[in-house]
Amino acid sequence: MAATPRAEPTLPVETELKLRIAPDAASAIARHPAVAAVRRGRARTVRLVSTYYDTDDGALARAGVALRLRHDGRRCVQTVKGPPTVPQAGGLAARAEFEWPVRGRALDPLRFATTPFRRLLARAERQGLAPRFTTDFARTTIPLAFADSTMAHVCIDLGEVRTEDGSPRVRAPVHEIELELEAGDPVRLYELAHALAANVPLAFEPASKAERGQALRHPSVAAPVRAADAALPGKCTAADAFAAFIRASLAQIERNADGVLAGDDPEWIHQMRIGVRRLRACLSLARRAMAPPAVEPLRVELRWLAQALGPARDLDVFATTTLPAFAAAVGRGASAAPLAASLAKLATRTATRRREARVVARAAVASPRFVRLVLAAAALAAAPAAAAPHGHDGKPRLALPARQFARPLLRRRHRGLEALGADLAHASPEARHAARLAAKQLRYATEFFAPLYAKKGARSYRKALAALQEELGLWNDAAVAARLAGELAGAQSPAAAAFAGWAAARAAERAGALAAAWAGFAKARPFWPRD
């Protein structure tokens, strides 16, 4: 008789939604009607002092594991937390968490063996564990009970994180709320956060307290976050795939938000804009499977955010790339002198409009509307099947294996681009524009679903498609540059006329490259199985 496979033990998981707040917003959260409506007991405020331990080279931090001792009055608790079990979205993170009361104020290494991280922790102990940083904050905890029996807490944390292994100490404030799930549906956390964001200033905090403490010890320059493929198990359903797509897009949007607000690098806006486009593309793919009330409001909000970011990105490209390239090109010609005054005026107006567009983009990202948009999208990722209620014709489609769902969709978009690709090098501007949009839509679809298929075939197809989209994008950049020059310098100005001619010449110069890119795409074999 065959032995019955032993089930993997269920790990204790901490699920919490973390958001930054202003210090003076704490009382508003505690009194908020949305909190009062689900409150199930008295608030309790305590001081929590937690010391985090690691090796000199940060071995635990590199593995995404946190080890701490937390002092709550006379009580001391040892905690080990693992890395996120699923990608974070909308401030929500789920991590394996193990806690034990300990005597005294020293680590108990014997407890390490009861965790999945025992080998890592044992190596760290042999290498040498020491205090690295401390969090010290007052926590006000309010218990919550929702109508569907979901139980949670809202925790308001006000204090600081500080280093412990250097002199002088380095400090950073901690002003945040954590909506901690005790039992039930995490969507309730998003709904509560969405209600709070309507009239309490909130912002996303992508880093845990442990990550922020580690950053104090090892400061680094933040960099814009680029798109990443969603992690898809081969046997996932369409609903699982869409949840992963939404989370991957939101990660790019959220993690570029601080850079958009405080950084001058144009890449922050560029990468957030890509994240918005990816999320819009994802919802476009899901439209036939999800009910309009679940998807259309998000599509409206994403269109608003795209319109806030788009002009800033277009002007960044125009100011930093297109205008210098144009000036260098005409600088060598005999017509440079008559254009000089017009180009100087164009450069001045571009700089002014660029600053104005940056203000608009930052205001959008700093607004409650942005926070509520991300929370609503993350709630959809947490329960994608709920977007197709019982009886809706899309519900069976969301239950399909993701590969089965993807195959006709990818085939349809591939054929749509094929139909637009005849003689692109000599096509009308309208035809090229339609082909560019079709290529973009197909590229997003392939990026989403490619992890379900063999890497080699998907890689060659995606490479050919990316080359085609790149060429179509260069043509579009020239067209956008001509339009911006007309808007900024005046349609009848010498600069606008010169830009129009330059854009047309560049398009003609790239005709051969565009034809080659199309030929390469036409030869690429689709990586999804044929029917």
Side-chain angles (χ1 to χ4, degrees):
M1 181 176 176
T4 303
R6 204 167 55 171
E8 289 293 327
T10 301
L11 298 180
V13 174
E14 175 196 55
T15 301
E16 63 182 18
L17 196 161
K18 185 193 300 288
L19 295 163
R20 283 201 302 262
I21 63 170
D24 57 3
S27 59
I29 291 169
R31 298 193 310 266
H32 198 280
V35 172
V38 293
R39 186 168 178 160
R40 62 179 167 99
R42 297 178 60 185
R44 175 173 175 263
T45 300
V46 297
R47 182 187 178 194
L48 298 178
V49 181
S50 302
T51 301
Y52 289 75
Y53 292 76
D54 207 336
T55 60
D56 285 340
D57 62 353
L60 299 185
R62 288 199 309 276
V65 172
L67 170 63
R68 77 179 184 215
L69 285 179
R70 170 167 286 178
H71 305 286
D72 174 1
R74 295 181 179 179
R75 183 167 170 262
C76 186
V77 176
Q78 178 174 302
T79 303
V80 173
K81 288 189 181 186
T85 56
V86 295
Q88 184 170 315
L92 189 77
R95 294 179 173 87
E97 181 183 59
F98 302 84
E99 290 189 327
W100 314 270
V102 294
R103 293 183 178 180
R105 294 178 176 270
L107 291 171
D108 181 0
L110 294 178
R111 300 290 189 175
F112 297 166
T114 64
T115 77
F117 320 111
R118 51 189 172 272
R119 293 182 180 176
L120 172 70
L121 291 165
R123 286 196 302 270
E125 184 194 4
R126 290 193 298 269
Q127 188 175 344
L129 290 166
R132 303 302 174 186
F133 53 89
T134 292
T135 60
D136 185 350
F137 54 88
R139 165 168 287 184
T140 299
T141 302
I142 304 171
L144 310 174
F146 295 84
D148 66 348
S149 299
T150 293
M151 310 291 278
H153 296 89
V154 56
C155 302
I156 306 168
D157 296 343
L158 301 177
E160 68 174 15
V161 54
R162 59 179 182 262
T163 58
E164 293 293 343
D165 56 352
S167 182
R169 284 178 171 175
V170 183
R171 304 171 186 267
V174 171
H175 302 145
E176 62 190 33
I177 61 169
E178 294 180 358
L179 307 182
E180 295 186 357
L181 185 67
E182 187 177 333
D185 190 346
V187 173
R188 301 290 87 77
L189 304 185
Y190 286 118
E191 292 171 349
L192 177 57
H194 194 273
L196 291 173
N199 41 32
V200 178
L202 302 175
F204 293 103
E205 178 52 79
S208 67
K209 292 182 178 74
E211 290 169 331
R212 293 169 67 189
Q214 183 68 10
L216 285 183
R217 294 185 64 242
H218 301 286
S220 60
V221 178
V225 176
R226 299 178 179 275
D229 286 345
L232 298 179
K235 295 183 179 180
C236 70
T237 65
D240 296 333
F242 279 118
F245 301 158
I246 294 170
R247 285 195 295 264
S249 301
L250 286 178
Q252 189 176 15
I253 293 171
E254 290 177 55
R255 290 183 175 272
N256 285 299
D258 285 348
V260 169
L261 294 175
D264 293 325
D265 186 347
E267 195 67 13
W268 291 108
I269 286 178
H270 179 44
Q271 292 304 323
M272 178 180 279
R273 189 188 187 197
I274 291 174
V276 171
R277 284 179 168 177
R278 285 167 58 85
L279 186 49
R280 294 180 74 185
C282 173
L283 295 182
S284 177
L285 293 172
R287 288 182 73 184
R288 296 188 181 186
M290 296 182 180
V295 177
E296 291 308 312
L298 270 177
R299 286 168 56 86
V300 170
E301 293 302 281
L302 285 167
R303 190 179 307 120
W304 157 75
L305 183 55
Q307 289 170 348
L309 298 173
R313 174 57 186 167
D314 288 344
L315 286 160
D316 282 341
V317 172
F318 187 73
T320 62
T321 303
T322 311
L323 193 54
F326 175 76
V330 300
R332 296 188 296 269
S335 59
L339 274 177
S342 186
L343 282 177
K345 183 180 294 186
L346 174 60
T348 299
R349 290 182 177 176
T350 298
T352 300
R353 283 280 295 276
R354 188 183 178 201
R355 286 192 296 271
E356 294 170 349
R358 181 67 60 90
V359 168
V360 170
R362 285 174 168 164
V365 175
S367 70
R369 188 174 181 179
F370 172 78
V371 175
R372 286 161 64 88
L373 160 59
V374 174
L375 290 169
L380 180 61
H390 183 70
H392 186 267
D393 58 6
K395 199 169 188 68
R397 300 189 69 204
L398 287 175
L400 288 173
R403 290 189 185 192
Q404 186 177 341
F405 181 95
R407 187 168 59 247
L409 187 152
L410 290 168
R411 184 179 64 246
R412 185 170 61 251
R413 293 205 169 186
H414 176 85
R415 290 176 177 174
L417 179 55
E418 279 186 323
L420 294 168
D423 199 19
L424 274 179
H426 302 95
S428 67
E430 293 76 16
R432 285 188 184 177
H433 180 66
R436 184 181 67 85
L437 294 180
K440 183 189 301 183
Q441 291 173 347
L442 176 59
R443 185 175 181 184
Y444 287 137
T446 58
E447 286 179 352
F448 290 147
F449 289 111
L452 294 170
Y453 300 93
K455 290 183 178 180
K456 185 176 180 180
R459 188 185 304 116
S460 59
Y461 182 88
R462 291 174 67 178
K463 184 177 179 180
L465 178 57
L468 175 61
Q469 189 187 4
E470 176 71 16
E471 284 299 326
L472 289 167
L474 290 172
W475 168 82
N476 184 67
D477 287 346
V480 169
R483 175 181 59 78
L484 284 174
E487 292 176 1
L488 294 166
Q492 306 304 316
S493 69
F499 253 103
W502 178 75
R506 286 196 53 149
E509 289 173 3
R510 302 297 306 178
L514 180 56
W518 175 257
F521 172 73
K523 291 178 182 177
R525 294 184 60 184
F527 56 84
W528 53 91
R530 297 181 179 180
D531 291 338

Short mmCIF file of all heavy atoms in Angstrom, two decimals, residues 25 28 45 52 67 95 98 132 143 153 158 165 213 245 294 298 316 326 334 372 460 481 507:
data_model
loop_
_atom_site.label_atom_id
_atom_site.label_comp_id
_atom_site.label_asym_id
_atom_site.label_seq_id
_atom_site.Cartn_x
_atom_site.Cartn_y
_atom_site.Cartn_z
N ALA A 25 -2.54 63.19 11.91
CA ALA A 25 -3.69 62.48 11.36
C ALA A 25 -4.13 61.33 12.25
O ALA A 25 -5.18 60.73 12.01
CB ALA A 25 -3.36 61.95 9.96
N ALA A 28 -7.57 61.68 13.79
CA ALA A 28 -8.63 61.63 12.77
C ALA A 28 -8.95 60.19 12.39
O ALA A 28 -10.11 59.85 12.12
CB ALA A 28 -8.21 62.43 11.55
N THR A 45 -3.31 51.73 24.00
CA THR A 45 -2.05 52.35 23.57
C THR A 45 -0.91 51.83 24.44
O THR A 45 -1.01 51.85 25.68
CB THR A 45 -2.11 53.88 23.67
OG1 THR A 45 -3.17 54.37 22.82
CG2 THR A 45 -0.79 54.51 23.21
N TYR A 52 16.22 44.72 16.37
CA TYR A 52 16.41 43.78 15.26
C TYR A 52 17.86 43.32 15.21
O TYR A 52 18.79 44.13 15.37
CB TYR A 52 16.02 44.45 13.94
CG TYR A 52 14.53 44.68 13.78
CD1 TYR A 52 13.89 45.70 14.47
CD2 TYR A 52 13.77 43.86 12.95
CE1 TYR A 52 12.53 45.91 14.34
CE2 TYR A 52 12.41 44.07 12.80
CZ TYR A 52 11.79 45.09 13.50
OH TYR A 52 10.43 45.29 13.36
N LEU A 67 14.59 39.25 12.30
CA LEU A 67 14.67 38.65 13.63
C LEU A 67 14.69 39.78 14.65
O LEU A 67 15.56 40.65 14.59
CB LEU A 67 15.94 37.80 13.74
CG LEU A 67 16.30 37.28 15.14
CD1 LEU A 67 15.23 36.33 15.67
CD2 LEU A 67 17.68 36.61 15.12
N ARG A 95 3.27 37.82 5.27
CA ARG A 95 4.56 37.21 5.60
C ARG A 95 4.37 36.11 6.64
O ARG A 95 3.54 36.25 7.55
CB ARG A 95 5.53 38.25 6.17
CG ARG A 95 5.97 39.33 5.20
CD ARG A 95 6.90 40.31 5.89
NE ARG A 95 7.47 41.27 4.95
CZ ARG A 95 6.87 42.42 4.61
NH1 ARG A 95 5.71 42.74 5.14
NH2 ARG A 95 7.45 43.22 3.74
N PHE A 98 6.58 33.96 13.11
CA PHE A 98 6.69 33.05 14.24
C PHE A 98 7.05 33.86 15.48
O PHE A 98 8.00 34.65 15.45
CB PHE A 98 7.76 32.00 13.98
CG PHE A 98 7.52 31.18 12.73
CD1 PHE A 98 7.91 31.67 11.49
CD2 PHE A 98 6.88 29.95 12.81
CE1 PHE A 98 7.67 30.93 10.34
CE2 PHE A 98 6.63 29.21 11.66
CZ PHE A 98 7.03 29.69 10.43
N ARG A 132 21.19 45.60 15.48
CA ARG A 132 21.53 46.47 14.35
C ARG A 132 20.70 47.75 14.33
O ARG A 132 21.22 48.81 14.00
CB ARG A 132 21.33 45.71 13.03
CG ARG A 132 22.14 44.44 12.92
CD ARG A 132 23.63 44.71 13.08
NE ARG A 132 24.42 43.46 13.12
CZ ARG A 132 25.70 43.40 13.37
NH1 ARG A 132 26.38 44.50 13.65
NH2 ARG A 132 26.32 42.24 13.39
N PRO A 143 -9.59 47.30 17.94
CA PRO A 143 -10.12 46.05 17.36
C PRO A 143 -11.32 46.33 16.46
O PRO A 143 -12.13 47.21 16.75
CB PRO A 143 -10.52 45.24 18.60
CG PRO A 143 -10.78 46.26 19.65
CD PRO A 143 -9.87 47.42 19.38
N HIS A 153 -7.51 44.57 13.15
CA HIS A 153 -7.12 45.67 14.04
C HIS A 153 -6.61 46.81 13.19
O HIS A 153 -5.97 46.59 12.15
CB HIS A 153 -6.00 45.25 15.00
CG HIS A 153 -6.37 44.18 15.95
ND1 HIS A 153 -6.23 42.84 15.66
CD2 HIS A 153 -6.88 44.24 17.22
CE1 HIS A 153 -6.64 42.12 16.68
NE2 HIS A 153 -7.04 42.93 17.65
N LEU A 158 3.35 55.70 16.02
CA LEU A 158 4.04 56.98 15.99
C LEU A 158 5.33 56.86 16.80
O LEU A 158 5.29 56.58 18.00
CB LEU A 158 3.16 58.09 16.58
CG LEU A 158 1.81 58.34 15.91
CD1 LEU A 158 1.04 59.42 16.67
CD2 LEU A 158 2.00 58.75 14.46
N ASP A 165 24.24 50.12 15.92
CA ASP A 165 25.63 49.66 15.80
C ASP A 165 26.54 50.72 15.22
O ASP A 165 27.51 50.43 14.55
CB ASP A 165 25.70 48.39 14.95
CG ASP A 165 25.08 48.58 13.58
OD1 ASP A 165 24.47 49.64 13.34
OD2 ASP A 165 25.21 47.67 12.74
N GLY A 213 14.89 50.09 8.72
CA GLY A 213 16.04 50.06 9.62
C GLY A 213 17.30 49.65 8.90
O GLY A 213 18.38 50.24 9.11
N PHE A 245 -1.07 39.81 -12.57
CA PHE A 245 -0.80 40.93 -13.48
C PHE A 245 -1.05 42.26 -12.78
O PHE A 245 -0.26 43.20 -12.90
CB PHE A 245 -1.70 40.86 -14.72
CG PHE A 245 -1.56 39.61 -15.54
CD1 PHE A 245 -2.59 39.21 -16.38
CD2 PHE A 245 -0.43 38.83 -15.47
CE1 PHE A 245 -2.49 38.06 -17.14
CE2 PHE A 245 -0.32 37.66 -16.23
CZ PHE A 245 -1.35 37.28 -17.07
N ALA A 294 -17.18 46.36 -12.08
CA ALA A 294 -15.94 46.09 -11.36
C ALA A 294 -14.73 46.67 -12.06
O ALA A 294 -13.71 46.94 -11.43
CB ALA A 294 -15.75 44.58 -11.20
N LEU A 298 -12.36 51.68 -12.56
CA LEU A 298 -10.90 51.67 -12.53
C LEU A 298 -10.32 52.17 -13.83
O LEU A 298 -9.32 52.90 -13.83
CB LEU A 298 -10.40 50.25 -12.26
CG LEU A 298 -10.21 49.84 -10.80
CD1 LEU A 298 -9.79 48.39 -10.71
CD2 LEU A 298 -9.17 50.73 -10.14
N ASP A 316 9.43 65.77 -21.08
CA ASP A 316 10.76 65.31 -20.67
C ASP A 316 11.55 64.81 -21.87
O ASP A 316 12.72 65.15 -22.05
CB ASP A 316 10.63 64.18 -19.64
CG ASP A 316 10.30 64.68 -18.23
OD1 ASP A 316 10.51 65.88 -17.97
OD2 ASP A 316 9.81 63.87 -17.42
N PHE A 326 17.70 67.83 -32.40
CA PHE A 326 17.30 68.72 -33.49
C PHE A 326 18.27 69.90 -33.60
O PHE A 326 18.71 70.27 -34.69
CB PHE A 326 15.89 69.23 -33.25
CG PHE A 326 15.43 70.24 -34.26
CD1 PHE A 326 15.04 69.86 -35.53
CD2 PHE A 326 15.38 71.60 -33.93
CE1 PHE A 326 14.62 70.80 -36.46
CE2 PHE A 326 14.97 72.53 -34.85
CZ PHE A 326 14.58 72.14 -36.12
N ALA A 334 23.09 75.61 -43.11
CA ALA A 334 23.13 77.05 -43.40
C ALA A 334 21.94 77.79 -42.80
O ALA A 334 21.96 79.01 -42.64
CB ALA A 334 23.15 77.27 -44.92
N ARG A 372 -6.71 56.11 -3.53
CA ARG A 372 -7.94 55.33 -3.64
C ARG A 372 -7.93 54.49 -4.92
O ARG A 372 -8.44 53.35 -4.93
CB ARG A 372 -9.15 56.26 -3.60
CG ARG A 372 -9.42 56.81 -2.19
CD ARG A 372 -10.30 58.06 -2.20
NE ARG A 372 -11.63 57.81 -2.70
CZ ARG A 372 -12.66 57.42 -1.96
NH1 ARG A 372 -12.49 57.18 -0.66
NH2 ARG A 372 -13.86 57.26 -2.48
N SER A 460 12.20 34.70 -28.18
CA SER A 460 12.45 35.12 -29.56
C SER A 460 11.26 35.91 -30.11
O SER A 460 11.44 36.92 -30.82
CB SER A 460 12.74 33.92 -30.45
OG SER A 460 11.66 32.99 -30.43
N ALA A 481 7.03 65.14 -31.38
CA ALA A 481 7.93 66.30 -31.34
C ALA A 481 7.43 67.41 -32.26
O ALA A 481 7.45 68.60 -31.89
CB ALA A 481 9.33 65.88 -31.74
N ALA A 507 11.41 60.12 -40.27
CA ALA A 507 10.54 59.00 -40.59
C ALA A 507 10.99 58.32 -41.88
O ALA A 507 11.00 57.09 -41.99
CB ALA A 507 9.09 59.47 -40.71
#
